[in-house]
Amino acid sequence: MLEINKIHLGDCYQLIKEIPDKSVDLVHTDPPYDIVNTKPGGNSSLARSMRNYNKELVTANLNINLGIGWCKEIPRIQKEINCYIWCNKAQIKQYLDYFVGELKCNFDILIWNKTNPMPTFHNKYMSDKEYCLYFRKGGFCNPTDFESAKTVFNYPLNVKDKNKYGHPTIKPLKIVKTLIKNSTQPGDLVLDCFSGSGTTALASSQLGRNFIAIEIDEKYHSLSIQRLEADQSQQKLFQL
């Protein structure tokens, strides 16, 4: 079995096979998005801004739609299907087809409503939201208050953490902690197949959950370990 409470460097397609059957309580992960137009035209400041952002995704290999192949191990490794997957609009159908169409899961569509989105709306609606699909088939879900039960999270772009950890699609820690707290209990095991900047690992650590995180990029793997260790050291100081 992969060591728990560790961010592993490697390919999730291979490493996930080392996770025992029926051992994972929750999957929370943020796979690469399917970005169709990586080079929006025009010379406006908005178009240049979008090109710069999409260039970040291409450079970090975060614009590749991996399909659902990586999901095939989820029914094996989970005690009961209990899974949050971040995605963009282009990927919603493929996940619904698999988890709802094939596996007959229940689902919710959660939304991160960005309160300070990039003002790009020429010939299209503004990119002011991201989707998080929640699939479960008997999985634990128990929001404890009105705020944590909402399906729309109103938070600004995570500019501070993005600049600090260099990951272009980093999610707000507060949202991730809410989802993990809603769908696990202390001591449960959380898996993140595309760990990125390590937000799932960090949130799990802060909440007293165990985790297995997998990241294929050496740069983000190293930065996420530094982020996690710095936070854990700080937490220990508060406990003294």
Side-chain angles (χ1 to χ4, degrees):
M1 177 179 178
L2 289 180
E3 183 178 345
I4 66 170
N5 298 327
K6 179 178 178 179
I7 302 175
H8 299 266
L9 176 63
D11 185 341
C12 72
Y13 280 85
Q14 300 301 319
L15 294 183
I16 199 171
K17 296 176 182 178
E18 300 180 26
I19 298 176
D21 295 356
K22 309 301 180 185
S23 61
V24 174
D25 297 284
L26 178 70
V27 173
H28 175 277
T29 195
D30 187 10
Y33 286 6
D34 183 11
I35 307 297
V36 178
N37 182 16
T38 59
K39 296 181 179 180
N43 293 314
S44 68
S45 60
L46 297 181
R48 290 194 298 272
S49 178
M50 280 301 295
R51 284 197 293 270
N52 289 337
Y53 175 70
N54 289 339
K55 184 178 179 181
E56 288 181 328
L57 297 180
V58 172
T59 302
N61 290 321
L62 296 174
N63 69 314
I64 302 171
N65 182 10
L66 297 176
I68 62 165
W70 67 272
C71 300
K72 298 295 185 177
E73 290 286 307
I74 288 177
R76 178 187 68 79
I77 64 173
Q78 287 220 273
K79 297 173 182 177
E80 296 177 300
I81 294 176
N82 199 29
C83 182
Y84 291 98
I85 304 173
W86 290 88
C87 68
N88 66 0
K89 182 178 69 175
Q91 297 167 300
I92 291 176
K93 184 178 184 299
Q94 66 181 12
Y95 290 125
L96 289 177
D97 285 347
Y98 176 61
F99 283 98
V100 180
E102 293 187 33
L103 300 182
K104 309 304 180 185
C105 294
N106 296 314
F107 77 97
D108 282 292
I109 299 179
L110 312 180
I111 292 173
W112 170 21
N113 175 45
K114 302 174 182 179
T115 56
N116 60 340
M118 297 175 65
T120 53
F121 52 86
H122 181 63
N123 289 330
K124 70 179 185 67
Y125 285 105
M126 189 179 293
S127 299
D128 58 355
K129 61 184 174 297
E130 291 189 35
Y131 302 95
C132 184
L133 304 182
Y134 177 46
F135 300 106
R136 66 175 176 140
K137 195 172 184 180
F140 179 80
C141 182
N142 187 33
T144 56
D145 54 52
F146 181 78
E147 286 300 316
S148 63
K150 289 182 178 179
T151 59
V152 177
F153 300 94
N154 296 303
Y155 288 103
L157 288 167
N158 205 10
V159 177
K160 180 180 178 181
D161 284 345
K162 177 183 173 181
N163 291 337
K164 188 172 182 179
Y165 303 111
H167 199 284
T169 65
I170 191 169
K171 298 300 183 290
L173 178 62
K174 190 170 183 178
I175 296 179
V176 176
K177 288 182 71 172
T178 297
L179 300 182
I180 292 175
K181 188 175 182 180
N182 283 348
S183 295
T184 60
Q185 301 178 76
D188 279 355
L189 179 59
V190 182
L191 170 66
D192 188 348
C193 307
F194 304 92
S195 181
S197 60
T199 305
T200 300
L202 181 63
S204 299
S205 175
Q206 291 183 355
L207 291 170
R209 275 63 169 172
N210 296 307
F211 65 86
I212 294 174
I214 302 171
E215 174 54 41
I216 197 170
D217 186 281
E218 292 185 7
K219 172 187 172 183
Y220 296 130
H221 176 257
S222 177
L223 285 172
S224 63
I225 290 177
Q226 294 175 34
R227 180 187 185 191
L228 178 63
E229 290 179 346
D231 183 79
Q232 290 176 336
S233 296
Q234 188 174 31
Q235 295 300 322
K236 288 179 181 178
L237 288 176
F238 285 124
Q239 294 171 3
L240 294 177

